[in-house]
Amino acid sequence: MQNPYTRGTTDSTEAIDQFIGLDQRERISVGELAHTLNCSSRRYPTLSPRYERGITEGHPGISCMISKGHLCFIKGNKLYVNFTEVATLPTSTQKRRMVGMGAYIIVFPDGYYYNTEDSSDKGNIEKTFNVAGSVAYTLCNSQGDGITATSSGTAPTNPTDGQYWIDTSVVPNVLKRWSAIYSSWTQIPSTFTKIAYSGIGSLFDEMDSVTISGSTVVENGSYAIYHKDSGYIVIPYLLNQVATRTENMTVKRAMPPMDFVVESGNRLWGCKYGRVGGQTVNEIYASALGNFKVWNRYLGISTDSYAASRGSDGPWTGAVNYLGTPIFFKENTIETVYPSTSGAHEIQAVNINGTGVAPGAADSIAVVNGVVYYQGVDGFYSYTGSLPKKISDPLGDHFYEDSVAGDLADHYYVCAREGEDYNVFVYQTELGIWYREDSMQVTSFCRVGSELFFTDGVKLYTARATMGTKETKVGWSATTHDFCYSTPEDTNVQRVSVRAHLEKGATLTIQISYDGSNKFSDVGTITGNGTSRYETYPIVPARCDHFRLRFVGKGDGCIWSVICKYDKGGVTK
């Protein structure tokens, strides 16, 4: 008979010497944190609080922001540039977004523009001039110089050199000029009509595209203005005869309604899905090259406006300029525009099976270090031009929506709603780790240089405190993984050592919870004494199956490591 024996105890050590961010899943690894509040990776691999924020009072109601070398924002119906009010916008309940092009800020859906370098250059993209009275129509060249021409189905007899004739025997009619050198009629390829009425050209610029409606002489439609003065406009149109009519018509410069707009390649690019003018549209648009006011000019040249109907299903959910390329998102599709210098732009659509930008999450799109980040239906994704890749598995199976995001250095900041609760998460893109900062309901982010501005609709904040009143002694906390959870043998924890360094006056309270309980008890507190020494605080936990530690800090500092030394008890056989 074999005598029973007891195997000796074995010492073992488990160490956290690298804190690798938040992981909200049920089972997490050494170094991952089950909960964080106001923590960051700024002193990675140690655990430390985020930077103190700057807080500026007196700016309630900021709805959207943009950077033009300094902060620009809309508050109520006022546009501010560098905290100076520069314009009043119409009262609107629609969500506004701003797009930059050169020195200009363009506000959508209002279509209002403002030149940040020339405050006199501002106004509305859409302009309408109403005509009610006597209008003179004359045939002319592109500069508005009058042309006298006869109109008939047969050529005039005994013409003189330079004489004009409108040949009505063909459809459409053709303007010709007699050449004495060649003894023949030569077709004039471009024909123009001057429309004269007091003030008709005052609202428009040359090469604008305008829509004329209500005229009894020229056909209703869109025309480019080749030349203009306050009292006339010149459009490409063949007028059969000089006419003066009493008209009741409109001349309008318009842009299409768009869901999302981005700037790329000195154009604005936009998209629209839905009903417009009684018709269903699913289109991508581009303004004329270098002219965000012109959306309907099609002259067959490389600088023309652009419009393309799309076949992908569903509404647009967001847009971004990615490395100089306009990209438009749907929940199931990414459509990439490949601009051409000849104007023959191409669009490539890729089905991505529900991993696109989620509806309502257009403001979650941000580009960090050449990678697009955004909120999808089931989490957060990165995109580099091929297929989206999910990055939010550590956030668990939580359902987030209506996210708003910004970028700073190599960090992706995002405020996401879960039910009625909000969370501000920060994703360190180089390390691939998440931290949760707090529960602020951020409504807009905007990076200006090396500073990130954001607002909760009441106050204006800066992530690095370069403006506003700087916070003091930020409160922060973090909860570790379960120690000893994966050990099947009887376990005896000998000692836990927490090594930390705190700034003078900062405190770190260590708490412990046993066997999955949500109740944490204080173990001890470390107070910073202003020296450069790291403090080591020993803890002897009660006997248990597993336990967690929580660190509750106030003020700046870092946790260098957590060392857990335990033995596996003997087994009798």
Side-chain angles (χ1 to χ4, degrees):
M1 175 180 174
Q2 183 178 3
N3 293 326
Y5 68 90
T6 301
R7 190 178 67 201
T9 60
T10 303
D11 289 343
S12 179
T13 300
E14 185 175 5
I16 303 177
D17 56 4
Q18 184 177 9
F19 292 90
I20 52 179
L22 175 67
D23 195 321
Q24 298 182 139
R25 289 171 289 191
E26 184 173 354
R27 184 171 178 176
I28 61 178
S29 302
V30 175
E32 294 175 330
L33 300 165
H35 170 82
T36 64
L37 172 67
N38 287 328
C39 294
S40 79
S41 60
R42 67 190 180 105
R43 295 193 181 104
Y44 177 84
T46 67
L47 176 64
S48 62
R50 61 167 173 78
Y51 287 98
E52 296 92 343
R53 296 169 179 167
I55 305 173
T56 303
E57 306 277 358
H59 291 288
I62 293 177
S63 58
C64 63
M65 301 186 287
I66 191 173
S67 172
K68 299 301 293 181
H70 33 244
L71 185 67
C72 307
F73 57 85
I74 294 175
K75 184 169 68 173
N77 292 313
K78 307 289 187 181
L79 174 63
Y80 291 78
V81 174
N82 199 19
F83 297 93
T84 300
E85 180 186 329
V86 296
T88 300
L89 304 172
T91 300
S92 175
T93 58
Q94 292 183 283
K95 181 177 178 62
R96 287 185 167 114
R97 290 184 172 90
M98 293 187 285
V99 179
M101 181 170 168
Y104 288 93
I105 296 171
I106 304 99
V107 182
F108 291 95
D110 306 75
Y112 182 86
Y113 64 90
Y114 179 84
N115 188 331
T116 57
E117 299 297 328
D118 179 4
S119 60
S120 65
D121 185 6
K122 57 186 176 182
N124 294 300
I125 292 176
E126 293 196 318
K127 294 285 188 180
T128 300
F129 187 86
N130 296 308
V131 175
S134 180
V135 180
Y137 298 89
T138 56
L139 193 65
C140 66
N141 62 19
S142 62
Q143 296 303 303
D145 301 324
I147 292 176
T148 301
T150 57
S151 180
S152 64
T154 59
T157 58
N158 301 319
T160 59
D161 188 46
Q163 181 178 338
Y164 289 93
W165 164 50
I166 299 175
D167 184 358
T168 61
S169 66
V170 294
V171 179
N173 299 165
V174 174
L175 178 65
K176 297 180 178 180
R177 183 171 58 189
W178 178 257
S179 172
I181 297 176
Y182 297 104
S183 298
S184 65
W185 291 97
T186 302
Q187 181 176 335
I188 305 299
S190 299
T191 57
F192 300 89
T193 293
K194 177 191 285 186
I195 304 176
Y197 182 85
S198 178
I200 194 172
S202 60
L203 300 181
F204 310 110
D205 300 318
E206 291 185 359
M207 297 312 294
D208 273 357
S209 177
V210 295
T211 300
I212 296 176
S213 58
S215 173
T216 61
V217 176
V218 303
E219 294 181 8
N220 293 333
S222 295
Y223 300 92
I225 297 177
Y226 275 74
H227 190 65
K228 68 102 182 183
D229 202 342
S230 62
Y232 67 84
I233 58 174
V234 175
I235 64 172
Y237 186 82
L238 178 57
L239 188 69
N240 286 333
Q241 59 183 4
V242 174
T244 300
R245 297 283 191 274
T246 299
E247 302 280 33
N248 186 10
M249 68 178 190
T250 60
V251 181
K252 183 177 182 179
R253 183 179 69 199
M255 68 174 182
M258 291 174 284
D259 298 323
F260 305 102
V261 182
V262 296
E263 185 278 333
S264 178
N266 204 21
R267 296 177 188 263
L268 292 187
W269 297 81
C271 59
K272 179 63 182 179
Y273 180 92
R275 301 285 290 180
V276 178
Q279 296 183 339
T280 300
V281 299
N282 184 16
E283 297 184 334
I284 290 176
Y285 309 100
S287 69
L289 182 67
N291 194 338
F292 57 81
K293 303 174 188 176
V294 178
W295 293 86
N296 299 291
R297 192 181 73 204
Y298 305 105
L299 303 176
I301 57 178
S302 62
T303 58
D304 275 350
S305 310
Y306 177 78
S309 295
R310 307 305 300 151
S312 56
D313 187 34
W316 303 102
T317 55
V320 66
N321 176 359
Y322 178 53
L323 303 179
T325 300
I327 296 178
F328 296 92
F329 289 92
K330 295 186 176 185
E331 187 176 329
N332 296 297
T333 310
I334 293 177
E335 302 221 7
T336 304
V337 181
Y338 295 96
S340 169
T341 55
S342 67
H345 314 301
E346 296 183 4
I347 304 176
Q348 182 183 62
V350 177
N351 189 294
I352 52 173
N353 298 320
T355 58
V357 175
D363 291 335
S364 71
I365 302 173
V367 179
V368 186
N369 288 346
V371 179
V372 179
Y373 295 92
Y374 61 85
Q375 179 224 311
V377 173
D378 63 342
F380 295 92
Y381 287 82
S382 65
Y383 176 73
T384 57
S386 54
L387 292 175
K389 177 183 177 182
K390 192 174 182 181
I391 60 171
S392 58
D393 286 341
L395 298 184
D397 58 358
H398 298 261
F399 180 74
Y400 298 109
E401 52 190 340
D402 298 338
S403 297
V404 179
D407 69 286
L408 182 61
D410 49 7
H411 293 74
Y412 172 67
Y413 285 74
V414 61
C415 175
R417 180 173 66 85
E418 181 184 19
E420 296 182 355
D421 299 323
Y422 289 83
N423 295 277
V424 176
F425 295 109
V426 181
Y427 181 66
Q428 216 289 353
T429 61
E430 295 298 314
L431 300 173
I433 60 177
W434 290 90
Y435 278 101
R436 178 183 178 274
E437 290 200 348
D438 56 22
S439 58
M440 181 184 296
Q441 183 181 347
V442 179
T443 57
S444 182
F445 286 96
C446 180
R447 180 177 60 81
V448 181
S450 58
E451 181 59 279
L452 180 66
F453 289 81
F454 55 101
T455 178
D456 59 359
V458 179
K459 299 176 183 178
L460 185 64
Y461 299 84
T462 50
R464 298 291 187 267
T466 58
M467 192 188 82
T469 302
K470 189 175 183 178
E471 291 178 309
T472 56
K473 294 186 178 180
V474 173
W476 56 283
S477 66
T479 304
T480 68
H481 69 293
D482 288 324
F483 286 90
C484 308
Y485 182 81
S486 60
T487 305
E489 296 91 346
D490 291 337
T491 302
N492 178 38
V493 178
Q494 296 181 359
R495 182 177 66 255
V496 176
S497 300
V498 177
R499 187 167 172 79
H501 176 265
L502 301 175
E503 297 297 322
K504 186 176 183 179
T507 60
L508 177 66
T509 298
I510 304 168
Q511 301 176 335
I512 194 168
S513 169
Y514 296 103
D515 296 336
S517 172
N518 291 323
K519 182 179 179 180
F520 284 81
S521 302
D522 289 354
V523 175
T525 299
I526 304 172
T527 301
N529 56 18
T531 69
S532 59
R533 290 187 58 189
Y534 281 78
E535 300 289 336
T536 299
Y537 194 93
I539 305 167
V540 180
R543 188 167 183 85
C544 62
D545 178 68
H546 59 278
F547 66 92
R548 285 187 175 189
L549 297 178
R550 175 183 289 170
F551 307 108
V552 180
K554 187 75 172 178
D556 200 10
C558 67
I559 298 175
W560 186 265
S561 64
V562 179
I563 308 297
C564 178
K565 187 174 182 180
Y566 58 91
D567 60 58
K568 297 177 182 178
V571 178
T572 302
K573 299 184 68 175

